[in-house]
């Protein structure tokens, strides 16, 4: 009897922690979903709401039952792969067919609202209100809603860019010293938080009627002004009531804008719209852009290949020297050589950027030089390769050391007995066998350096810029994409996405070619 019931007892006792863990996972999932879903709805983030719901449904469907055991292990990795890899690729590809960028991020309705809001003018006798900013979402992203207190009678109003001004029942707000301090269901922004989103608030306009609107005036006041521009939805035109000018929707290139009577763009605001293959056409047919792309591509190849070859050559040479059994203190030398690898990369890059200072840099002072490392394109490229060599050779040293120790000593001993020299043993036996093991790592190192943004941005910031163009002399493709997307002339995410797609394809093709080449090395075995 004892032997019969003991396994059942153990089964019941071991299942208790599993049940508790399952309840915790499902409870946390439900709590996170209930907390985040309303925020996503208020921000109209439908895509991320769908991702959240798919994740929640998947977790409940798989982990609330003992079935679907293989799926329990496959789901986490598959879900994270989809969210953090496949989804960004799909979004980048989708944006590459749009004009997404500064002034063209929202819908046409939002663009019209912004244009009309910016035309609100304050008259000398315009009424003013004590203003409070609240939100149902993030204090930095909104959406924001204005709560206004009329100083004459204490009436409280609320409104946002989408809804007209309306009176608020007294039980929904708390008013202290003529200002709203609490709002039921919303978070009131502090003065510092309002300052952080000041520029965005200055573009906010709350419609009162067809010809007037409320706009913020500073961080704690708002005024009622008249809108000079009026939008007619039926004719899809904007009319300037002061001058009588009418602006219609016209096409410039592949994009639609409000244009004046001469067909020129009338307002800086636009709206998100599909432009087909326009971004790719611009990349390959515009001589200036194509020249910058080709120049960045050539330098990217040189930088990536040069970094891999130089770091591998130095790392392999040092590993070969320290692999000699006759050398004493090898552990100490190895520990010292991997120290650059232990230092965070961004710190190393910032320190090395100071080393290249023309007047106070360590390199010029030690060598008695007066070289403008970051002012000359050739010297700047040499500085990037030299710095990347210092940062990368410890990794290659570690890899080569491990691979060397895996090569049987009998092979080198037999070659030595056959009369082979050290150079012949290294070049014809050791190196081919080593490459079989490290070739995939060399390919991955090439792919890493092909997109090594930090090495460029933290060291040279892409400079120098001899021709004043958007691409610097040391910009590789990924840093060039960054400058297009976030450059000082305005963000152009659509075009940057098109360049990113081409960069993705190039990296994949080069990696495929390199892996095919590594298959040839396997014949050494």
């Amino acid at each position: 009897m004892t032997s019969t019931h003991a396994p059942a007892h153990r089964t019941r006792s071991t299942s208790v922690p599993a049940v508790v863990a399952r309840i915790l996972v499902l409870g946390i999932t439900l709590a996170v979903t209930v907390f985040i879903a309303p925020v996503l709805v208020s921000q109209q983030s439908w895509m991320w709401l769908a991702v959240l719901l798919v994740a929640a449904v998947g977790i409940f469907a798989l982990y609330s039952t003992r079935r679907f055991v293989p799926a329990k292990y496959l789901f986490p990795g598959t879900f994270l792969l989809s969210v953090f890899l496949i989804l960004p690729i799909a979004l980048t590809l989708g944006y590459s067919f749009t004009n997404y960028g500064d002034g063209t991020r929202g819908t046409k309705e939002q663009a019209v609202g912004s244009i009309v809001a910016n035309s609100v003018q304050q008259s000398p006798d315009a009424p003013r209100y004590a203003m409070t900013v609240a939100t149902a979402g993030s204090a930095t992203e909104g959406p924001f809603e204005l709560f206004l207190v009329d100083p004459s009678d204490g009436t409280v109003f609320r409104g946002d860019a989408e809804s007209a001004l309306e009176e608020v029942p007294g039980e929904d707000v708390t008013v202290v010293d003529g200002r709203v301090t609490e709002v039921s269901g919303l978070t009131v922004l502090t003065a510092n938080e309002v300052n952080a989103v000041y520029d965005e608030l200055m573009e906010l306009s709350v419609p009162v009627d067809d010809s007037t609107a409320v706009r913020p005036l500073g961080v704690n006041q708002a005024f009622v002004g008249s809108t000079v521009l009026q939008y007619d939805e039926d004719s899809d035109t904007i009319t300037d009531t002061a001058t009588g000018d009418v602006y219609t929707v016209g096409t410039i290139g592949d994009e639609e804008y409000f244009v004046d009577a001469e067909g020129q763009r009338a307002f800086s605001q636009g709206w998100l719209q599909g432009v087909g293959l326009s971004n790719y056409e611009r990349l390959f047919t515009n001589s200036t852009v194509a020249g910058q792309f080709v120049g960045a591509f050539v330098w990217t190849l040189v930088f990536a290949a040069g970094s891999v070859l130089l770091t591998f050559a130095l790392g392999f040479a040092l590993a070969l020297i320290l692999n000699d059994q006759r050398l004493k203190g090898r552990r100490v030398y190895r520990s010292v050589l991997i120290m650059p690898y232990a230092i965070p990369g961004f710190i190393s890059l910032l320190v090395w950027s100071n080393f290249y200072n023309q007047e106070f840099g360590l390199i010029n002072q030690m060598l008695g030089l007066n070289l403008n490392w970051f002012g000359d394109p050739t010297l700047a490229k040499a500085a990037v390769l030299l710095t990347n060599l210092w940062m990368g050779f410890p990794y290659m040293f570690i890899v080569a050391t491990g691979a060397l120790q895996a090569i049987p000593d009998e092979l080198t001993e037999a070659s030595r007995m056959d009369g082979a020299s050290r150079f012949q043993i290294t070049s014809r036996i050791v190196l081919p066998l080593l490459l079989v093991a490290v070739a995939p790592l060399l390919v991955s190192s090439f792919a890493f350096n092909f997109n090594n943004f930090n090495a460029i941005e933290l060291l040279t910031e892409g400079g120098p810029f001899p021709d004043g163009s958007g691409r610097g002399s040391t910009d590789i493709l990924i840093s060039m994409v960054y400058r297009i997307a976030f450059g000082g002339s305005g963000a152009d995410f659509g075009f940057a996405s098109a360049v990113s797609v081409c960069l993705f394809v190039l990296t994949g093709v080069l990696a495929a070619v390199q892996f095919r080449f590594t298959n040839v090395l396997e014949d050494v075995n």
Side-chain angles (χ1 to χ4, degrees):
M1 294 294 291
T2 303
S3 61
T4 302
H5 291 285
H9 174 72
R10 285 195 297 270
T11 301
R12 287 194 299 270
S13 63
T14 54
S15 65
V16 171
V19 171
V20 173
R22 184 184 305 168
I23 293 175
L24 286 175
V25 170
L26 296 179
I28 292 174
T29 301
L30 180 61
V32 170
T33 303
V34 171
F35 177 76
I36 296 180
V39 177
L40 296 178
V41 171
S42 66
Q43 296 180 351
Q44 298 183 353
S45 300
W46 309 122
M47 181 188 68
W48 295 112
L49 178 63
V51 170
L52 176 67
L53 294 179
V54 167
V57 171
I59 291 174
F60 270 90
L62 294 176
Y63 298 98
S64 61
T65 176
R66 294 184 178 181
R67 295 178 294 175
F68 314 121
V69 175
K72 286 180 169 65
Y73 294 94
L74 291 174
F75 177 76
T78 303
F79 176 76
L80 294 176
L81 177 69
S82 301
V83 172
F84 293 107
L85 184 63
I86 298 177
L87 184 59
I89 292 175
L91 289 174
T92 302
L93 181 62
Y95 281 131
S96 70
F97 298 104
T98 69
N99 66 336
Y100 186 44
D102 280 350
T104 56
R105 303 191 187 194
T107 63
K108 184 177 180 180
E109 290 75 14
Q110 292 172 329
V112 171
S114 177
I115 292 171
V116 174
N118 287 335
S119 72
V120 175
Q121 294 185 355
Q122 180 182 9
S123 58
D125 57 345
R128 295 188 180 185
Y129 299 93
M131 181 186 72
T132 298
V133 183
T135 180
S138 168
T140 57
E141 298 180 2
F144 301 110
E145 192 168 351
L146 302 185
F147 285 81
L148 311 174
V149 178
D150 190 337
S152 61
D153 56 11
T155 305
V156 180
F157 301 91
R158 69 185 298 174
D160 56 27
E162 304 295 331
S163 57
L165 204 66
E166 61 180 5
E167 188 173 343
V168 182
E171 60 270 15
D172 291 345
V173 296
T174 300
V175 180
V176 177
D177 295 331
R179 188 176 305 280
V180 174
T181 57
E182 293 184 12
V183 180
S184 176
L186 299 179
T187 302
V188 174
L189 272 64
T190 64
N192 290 335
E193 291 172 336
V194 172
N195 277 324
V197 294
Y198 181 81
D199 292 338
E200 183 175 350
L201 287 176
M202 289 304 101
E203 297 180 359
L204 180 62
S205 175
V206 180
V208 177
D209 52 38
D210 293 338
S211 60
T212 58
V214 173
R215 291 197 65 183
L217 181 65
V219 297
N220 56 14
Q221 282 189 326
F223 69 91
V224 177
S226 58
T227 54
V228 177
L229 299 178
Q230 300 290 330
Y231 176 68
D232 186 350
E233 187 175 357
D234 294 333
S235 60
D236 197 16
T237 60
I238 293 178
T239 302
D240 188 331
T241 57
T243 63
D245 294 336
V246 178
Y247 305 102
T248 59
V249 176
T251 301
I252 301 177
D254 293 319
E255 303 178 36
E256 291 184 340
Y257 300 98
F258 281 102
V259 297
D260 56 22
E262 299 177 355
Q264 300 298 317
R265 185 174 177 177
F267 309 104
S268 60
Q269 294 93 337
W271 54 91
L272 182 64
Q273 50 194 295
V275 295
L277 298 174
S278 177
N279 289 319
Y280 294 95
E281 181 181 353
R282 173 186 170 191
L283 176 60
F284 294 110
T285 60
N286 186 303
S287 59
T288 302
V289 175
Q292 292 178 358
F293 181 82
V294 171
F297 176 63
V298 172
W299 163 237
T300 303
L301 289 177
V302 173
F303 168 70
S307 296
V308 173
L309 292 176
L310 291 174
T311 55
F312 177 72
L314 182 57
F316 173 63
L318 292 172
L320 196 63
I321 294 172
L322 295 180
N323 198 50
D324 193 331
Q325 301 292 336
R326 298 170 298 176
L327 183 64
K328 296 181 179 180
R330 290 183 299 162
R331 292 183 178 179
V332 176
Y333 293 135
R334 286 171 177 168
S335 300
V336 173
L337 288 175
I338 65 174
M339 286 182 63
Y341 194 55
I343 301 175
F346 74 94
I347 293 179
S348 297
L349 289 166
L350 293 176
V351 171
W352 273 86
S353 66
N354 290 323
F355 287 171
Y356 293 112
N357 186 281
Q358 183 177 3
E359 297 180 1
F360 310 106
L362 179 65
I363 296 178
N364 279 351
Q365 287 188 350
M366 288 186 62
L367 301 179
L369 303 174
N370 188 32
L371 298 177
N372 187 7
W373 289 95
F374 293 155
D376 181 80
T378 303
L379 289 176
K381 292 177 180 178
V384 170
L385 289 173
L386 179 61
T387 305
N388 220 30
L389 170 63
W390 186 84
M391 295 179 58
F393 87 85
Y395 170 75
M396 293 299 181
F397 168 72
I398 295 173
V399 169
T401 298
L404 284 174
Q405 294 177 352
I407 298 176
D409 294 335
E410 292 80 2
L411 292 177
T412 57
E413 290 295 334
S415 302
R416 189 175 294 107
M417 293 178 63
D418 289 340
S421 64
R422 285 183 175 273
F423 178 77
Q424 290 174 326
I425 294 174
T426 302
S427 60
R428 298 185 181 182
I429 297 177
V430 175
L431 184 59
L433 290 174
L434 185 82
L435 288 176
V436 173
V438 305
L441 298 177
L442 296 179
V443 173
S444 64
S445 180
F446 178 87
F448 171 78
N449 283 290
F450 199 85
N451 295 293
N452 194 349
F453 174 78
N454 287 345
I456 303 300
E457 187 63 22
L458 295 179
L459 189 64
T460 66
E461 297 183 351
F465 298 85
D467 55 357
S469 63
R471 176 196 167 254
S473 300
T474 57
D475 265 331
I476 57 177
L477 286 173
I478 188 65
S479 60
M480 174 182 168
V481 171
Y482 172 80
R483 241 161 285 289
I484 294 173
F486 304 101
S489 59
D492 192 351
F493 299 122
F495 181 62
S497 297
V499 180
S500 298
V501 171
C502 294
L503 177 58
F504 174 78
V505 173
L506 285 173
T507 305
V509 170
L510 290 173
V513 171
Q514 290 170 335
F515 274 117
R516 287 182 64 88
F517 173 73
T518 58
N519 292 335
V520 178
L521 298 175
E522 296 181 0
D523 295 336
V524 176
N525 289 332

